[in-house]
Amino acid sequence: EFRRVLFRSYLLTPLEAAVGTRHTDAARVLLREGARVDPENFPVLYCLAMAGASEELMSLLKVYAADRTDADCGETRLPL
């Protein structure tokens, strides 16, 4: 029997990695030190937080979002 193992690699920003792994403190430090939440990356970040069921991260991202606080997670492609 032959089994093929497929390894995937992902390219993430530090903020995406922190949110995707539910490290709220790391995300908070990154945001405080200048990581940006803008209309382009907010849907990905918010949907990563939602996928991880992290209300705390979802709230944190909304605080730092410039003017975008909605995301269609059904249509947003996640990097993981």
Side-chain angles (χ1 to χ4, degrees):
E1 177 179 339
F2 176 77
R3 291 186 182 182
R4 182 176 176 181
V5 178
L6 178 64
F7 293 96
R8 294 183 183 182
S9 61
Y10 302 97
L11 182 61
L12 302 171
T13 66
L15 186 54
E16 288 170 344
V19 172
T21 56
R22 293 181 287 163
H23 284 91
T24 306
D25 290 336
R28 189 174 286 115
V29 168
L30 289 165
L31 289 164
R32 186 179 62 230
E33 295 299 321
R36 292 181 8 168
V37 178
D38 57 35
E40 290 181 24
N41 69 2
F42 177 80
V44 170
L45 294 167
Y46 190 80
C47 294
L48 281 171
M50 184 180 282
S54 178
E55 294 286 332
E56 186 176 6
L57 277 168
M58 291 162 57
S59 296
L60 179 66
L61 292 168
K62 284 185 175 184
V63 168
Y64 281 88
D67 59 354
R68 176 91 185 253
T69 58
D70 62 326
D72 181 358
C73 294
E75 297 294 321
T76 300
R77 186 169 183 201
L78 300 180
L80 301 174

